Amino acid sequence: MGNRDRRWIVFLLLMVASLLSGCTESQTKREKEEQPSLFKMNGELLYGEEEKFGIRKLNGENDEPEFPAGKGRHYHIQFLNQPEQIEGKTYYLSALHQETGQQNDLYEAVIENGQSGAKLVFDQPGTWKVQVAVDDEPYAQFTIQAE
């Protein structure tokens, strides 16, 4: 086998490896977009935007989903990115049902110590895009699955 043949084989192997790598990256990106926004912080699973906003359920049944459709649950809300800058400001949560286009106002309160409690109800199952605003300015957005 000559030098030219070896270079051709190396080139082909590099092309195949590049194609496989690109498929993996696009598949991972697509999976992340389809998954609810879930991350771990201090040993707890939170929904939201990592290093910015997190929410977790505080009550309900152990075997029920994190966001049970049609049932109000209490949630702990955390503002993770420089909470001292938004201390005392009002936050507002709303959600848009991705299949029906229904918009729901979820909760409004004042931020104290970078956190809040909230009782939320997602009235129908499906994917919801949750939007967080602080003093009417967009702050975070993420998706959840109500079941």
Side-chain angles (χ1 to χ4, degrees):
M1 188 182 291
N3 257 353
R4 187 174 183 191
D5 293 334
R6 286 187 188 133
R7 279 188 252 149
W8 182 248
I9 291 172
V10 168
F11 173 76
L12 287 175
L13 289 173
L14 288 173
M15 290 298 292
V16 169
S18 175
L19 287 171
L20 291 174
S21 173
C23 291
T24 303
E25 287 176 21
S26 66
Q27 181 180 358
T28 301
K29 183 178 177 184
R30 184 173 55 250
E31 286 172 356
K32 188 170 185 170
E33 289 171 355
E34 292 171 359
Q35 293 286 328
S37 306
L38 186 62
F39 62 96
K40 198 169 195 176
M41 187 179 95
N42 297 330
E44 294 180 329
L45 286 175
L46 300 173
Y47 286 82
E49 280 188 37
E50 192 167 5
E51 298 181 9
K52 191 163 192 177
F53 180 88
I55 183 172
R56 67 180 172 84
K57 185 174 72 162
L58 294 176
N59 70 338
E61 303 300 321
N62 289 336
D63 61 346
E64 74 181 4
E66 194 71 11
F67 301 95
K71 297 179 181 178
R73 294 292 183 251
H74 288 279
Y75 293 85
H76 182 238
I77 293 173
Q78 299 175 27
F79 293 85
L80 307 170
N81 185 17
Q82 301 176 331
E84 65 279 354
Q85 292 182 356
I86 56 175
E87 181 70 22
K89 294 183 178 184
T90 300
Y91 76 92
Y92 171 75
L93 295 176
S94 62
L96 177 68
H97 194 273
Q98 297 297 280
E99 289 84 26
T100 67
Q102 177 183 335
Q103 177 81 29
N104 282 2
D105 297 328
L106 295 175
Y107 202 78
E108 184 175 349
V110 173
I111 301 165
E112 296 178 16
N113 298 317
Q115 58 189 343
S116 176
K119 183 173 183 180
L120 307 179
V121 178
F122 295 90
D123 59 358
Q124 59 182 298
T127 303
W128 291 84
K129 182 177 184 180
V130 179
Q131 298 156 338
V132 184
V134 175
D135 278 355
D136 297 322
E137 294 293 322
Y139 184 81
Q141 67 180 12
F142 56 97
T143 58
I144 62 98
Q145 188 68 34
E147 300 176 32

